[in-house]
Amino acid sequence: MISLAFFAERYESAKSSISEDLGILRRTFMIRGTGVLETLPGAGGGVIFTPGISEKEATQFISDVKKRLTEPNRILPGGYVYLTDLLAEPGLLRTIGRMIATQYSQSSIDVVMTVATKGIPIAQSVASFLNIPFVIVRRDSKITEGSTISVNYASGSSDRIEKMELSKRSLDEGSRVLVVDDFMKGGGTINGMRSLIHEFNAIFVGVTVFAENALIDPEVRDTDVTSIFKVKDIDQENKIINIENGDYLAKTDFSYFE
Amino acid sequence: MISLAFFAERYESAKSSISEDLGILRRTFMIRGTGVLETLPGAGGGVIFTPGISEKEATQFISDVKKRLTEPNRILPGGYVYLTDLLAEPGLLRTIGRMIATQYSQSSIDVVMTVATKGIPIAQSVASFLNIPFVIVRRDSKITEGSTISVNYASGSSDRIEKMELSKRSLDEGSRVLVVDDFMKGGGTINGMRSLIHEFNAIFVGVTVFAENALIDPEVRDTDVTSIFKVKDIDQENKIINIENGDYLAKTDFSYFE
């Protein structure tokens, strides 16, 4: 929260003029769907900006990115989809960050968690819009992390046990944690992060991934997971990638930003 | 570059009013040292915003962060400094990104490169301010990267040979590459990235790291490296971390943003 006195001093103006200007900004932000500017009156009051996205802009973005995701040259041997270039574009990452921040704008979140490597840019972008720090869980912790807490988890089709760890000092007890990642294949990594949050006596709030494998058995799929895209199937022979919308739009309440 | 017509349409105003407003913004940005707004006249013209930082703000930031870097509880066993929490704060990352973007604002850069894991947030922030993509070099490439090009490099005190690799499709021939990283210990990783850039027939422009080990022999230190901080020595017994300014301020021309 920033007090009106801050703006009054910076712009050498009366608080009443600042108040009027903030009103103009509030209406503009509302019309453009870029976020909400809230003014709290009184001596301890001030102004808070919550960045967000409108349903219209999010829907358009999903439709634009879906077209790019189905480009045939994204098919990799083994039936994987190449996403690395998309998750390295600052503009795209900013919109993904704003979308996920919008989904959790009414939840209280203290920290964003992800696992190295490809979830990091998404975590950083979401954290930037929520104005909170992020933590990176690693499979290979380095000496520069200090002491860590580790958990074992079943990876892939549950036939391999792996380890992930997090620096002990990077997460406080009782912190409310939002998990993000680039891709959920079977859910093992997400489960690992949930156990890790539990080990730290922190609180799991939710998890949103950029894309998920649509073939996960609905019976075992973690219902706390939200995805923006679902990779339905990849026809390697005819070079067709079948992508559907995930449940992000259905699970997000945009009313605060409309 | 954004044309004046874009603003004229969005704000339903005459181009002359837009032009006047841009003039006000330009002067404000200049006074605040947040960046430069350049207007190119004529039919194909428009406006370009280059974010940057003033020398005053950069100097203040370095002094503030230096205080935090010397906190005694940052000392890790083995004489390392714990940096993970700092490089996970969105505000701090934004300023580091703006600082490095300022240093290279007059160079032509196509892509920012870093190596996983801790350099990623810095790369993303710099890329965001330069409005270009970033690429992540990995020590353990995954199947989802497609085919890669790898190099071997001497790590640590040159007594270990390691491998790093980059997805073939993530870097175009002839690209101009800026390298960033969190910490330079001996320079091995930086050398590895330089060879990798060479292998891709791309062009190395420079490298800036958040901190470097001040004990690197000046005779062998890569002169293309810029650092914001230098870790001079760590007195584990008395819990004193000795940090100095790196050569960032000396090597950066702030005149465009003052």
Side-chain angles (χ1 to χ4, degrees):
Chain A
M1 190 170 65
I2 301 169
S3 74
L4 292 199
F6 171 84
F7 296 110
E9 197 190 315
R10 172 172 256 188
Y11 301 113
E12 295 170 11
S13 307
K15 281 193 192 173
S16 58
S17 323
I18 297 293
S19 225
E20 273 174 39
D21 290 350
L22 288 171
I24 296 172
L25 282 175
R26 181 165 47 247
R27 283 190 297 278
T28 311
F29 288 160
M30 209 180 289
I31 293 165
R32 304 245 167 260
T34 44
V36 174
L37 198 68
E38 217 177 332
T39 313
L40 304 177
V47 63
I48 299 173
F49 176 64
T50 311
I53 198 167
S54 65
E55 186 165 10
K56 190 181 156 200
E57 192 187 345
T59 307
Q60 183 63 49
F61 173 82
I62 290 175
S63 144
D64 292 345
V65 174
K66 193 152 66 175
K67 269 185 212 125
R68 296 185 60 191
L69 284 172
T70 54
E71 290 157 0
N73 61 1
R74 293 197 176 276
I75 299 178
L76 294 173
Y80 289 89
V81 184
Y82 185 76
L83 298 175
T84 307
D85 59 330
L86 294 176
L87 299 179
E89 285 181 16
L92 200 138
L93 285 168
R94 273 195 294 266
T95 307
I96 294 171
R98 205 146 53 87
M99 281 170 64
I100 300 178
T102 298
Q103 188 189 355
Y104 297 96
S105 63
Q106 304 306 301
S107 316
S108 150
I109 314 253
D110 298 310
V111 61
V112 179
M113 173 184 279
T114 194
V115 67
T117 304
K118 291 206 290 200
I120 300 174
I122 296 176
Q124 177 172 358
S125 184
V126 175
S128 180
F129 283 106
L130 293 175
N131 204 25
I132 54 175
F134 58 93
V135 295
I136 302 169
V137 175
R138 300 179 65 150
R139 292 187 179 90
D140 59 328
S141 185
K142 292 286 160 87
I143 194 162
T144 49
E145 298 291 321
S147 46
T148 62
I149 292 181
S150 76
V151 296
N152 296 308
Y153 67 101
S155 163
S157 22
S158 296
D159 55 356
R160 226 168 45 243
I161 299 296
E162 298 200 16
K163 192 171 107 166
M164 56 166 72
E165 46 192 331
L166 180 62
S167 172
K168 258 182 105 167
R169 52 172 109 189
S170 65
L171 188 60
D172 292 334
E173 250 183 55
S175 303
R176 294 176 55 86
V177 186
L178 165 62
V179 174
V180 301
D181 208 354
D182 61 322
F183 194 79
M184 177 169 79
K185 202 182 165 209
T189 313
I190 303 289
N191 281 339
M193 284 192 271
R194 289 188 82 145
S195 330
L196 204 49
I197 291 167
H198 184 75
E199 286 300 323
F200 273 82
N201 291 317
I203 299 148
F204 168 87
V205 177
V207 43
T208 298
V209 298
F210 177 70
E212 69 170 307
N213 173 7
L215 304 180
I216 300 175
D217 181 354
E219 298 262 318
V220 303
R221 183 182 177 277
D222 187 336
T223 52
D224 289 322
V225 175
T226 301
S227 68
I228 302 178
F229 298 103
K230 271 189 179 178
V231 179
K232 196 122 188 266
D233 56 56
I234 295 162
D235 179 345
Q236 290 197 68
E237 205 171 328
N238 301 302
K239 296 210 168 285
I240 293 166
I241 305 177
N242 194 344
I243 305 270
E244 287 185 350
N245 285 5
D247 49 5
Y248 168 79
L249 288 172
K251 278 190 175 168
T252 302
D253 177 5
F254 294 94
S255 58
Y256 189 63
F257 297 101
E258 307 281 353
Chain B
M1 190 170 64
I2 302 168
S3 72
L4 292 198
F6 171 85
F7 296 110
E9 198 190 315
R10 172 171 254 188
Y11 300 112
E12 296 170 10
S13 307
K15 280 193 192 173
S16 57
S17 323
I18 296 292
S19 225
E20 273 174 39
D21 290 351
L22 288 171
I24 297 172
L25 282 175
R26 180 165 47 244
R27 283 189 297 278
T28 310
F29 287 161
M30 210 181 286
I31 293 164
R32 304 245 166 259
T34 44
V36 173
L37 198 69
E38 217 176 330
T39 314
L40 304 178
V47 62
I48 299 174
F49 176 63
T50 311
I53 197 166
S54 66
E55 186 165 11
K56 191 182 155 201
E57 193 187 346
T59 307
Q60 183 62 50
F61 174 82
I62 289 174
S63 146
D64 293 345
V65 174
K66 193 152 66 174
K67 271 185 211 122
R68 296 185 62 190
L69 284 171
T70 55
E71 289 157 0
N73 60 2
R74 294 197 174 275
I75 299 177
L76 294 173
Y80 290 89
V81 184
Y82 185 76
L83 299 175
T84 307
D85 59 330
L86 294 175
L87 298 179
E89 286 181 16
L92 201 137
L93 285 168
R94 273 194 294 266
T95 307
I96 294 172
R98 203 147 53 87
M99 281 169 63
I100 300 178
T102 298
Q103 189 189 353
Y104 298 95
S105 63
Q106 304 307 300
S107 316
S108 152
I109 315 254
D110 298 311
V111 62
V112 179
M113 173 184 281
T114 194
V115 67
T117 302
K118 291 206 290 199
I120 301 174
I122 296 176
Q124 177 172 359
S125 185
V126 175
S128 181
F129 283 107
L130 293 175
N131 205 25
I132 53 176
F134 58 93
V135 295
I136 303 169
V137 175
R138 301 180 64 150
R139 293 187 179 89
D140 59 328
S141 185
K142 291 287 159 86
I143 194 163
T144 49
E145 297 294 320
S147 45
T148 63
I149 291 181
S150 76
V151 295
N152 295 309
Y153 67 103
S155 164
S157 21
S158 297
D159 56 356
R160 228 170 41 245
I161 299 296
E162 297 200 17
K163 191 171 110 167
M164 55 166 72
E165 45 191 332
L166 180 63
S167 171
K168 257 181 103 167
R169 52 172 107 188
S170 65
L171 188 59
D172 291 334
E173 249 182 57
S175 303
R176 294 176 56 85
V177 185
L178 165 63
V179 174
V180 301
D181 208 353
D182 61 325
F183 194 78
M184 177 168 79
K185 203 182 164 209
T189 313
I190 303 288
N191 281 339
M193 284 191 272
R194 288 188 82 146
S195 333
L196 204 47
I197 291 167
H198 184 77
E199 285 301 322
F200 273 84
N201 291 318
I203 299 148
F204 168 87
V205 177
V207 44
T208 298
V209 297
F210 177 70
E212 70 169 306
N213 173 8
L215 304 180
I216 299 175
D217 181 355
E219 297 263 318
V220 302
R221 183 181 177 279
D222 187 337
T223 52
D224 289 322
V225 175
T226 301
S227 68
I228 302 177
F229 297 103
K230 270 190 180 176
V231 180
K232 197 125 188 261
D233 56 56
I234 295 162
D235 179 345
Q236 289 197 69
E237 206 170 327
N238 301 302
K239 295 212 170 281
I240 293 166
I241 304 177
N242 194 344
I243 305 268
E244 287 184 352
N245 285 5
D247 49 4
Y248 168 80
L249 288 172
K251 278 190 176 168
T252 303
D253 177 5
F254 294 93
S255 58
Y256 190 63
F257 298 101
E258 306 281 352

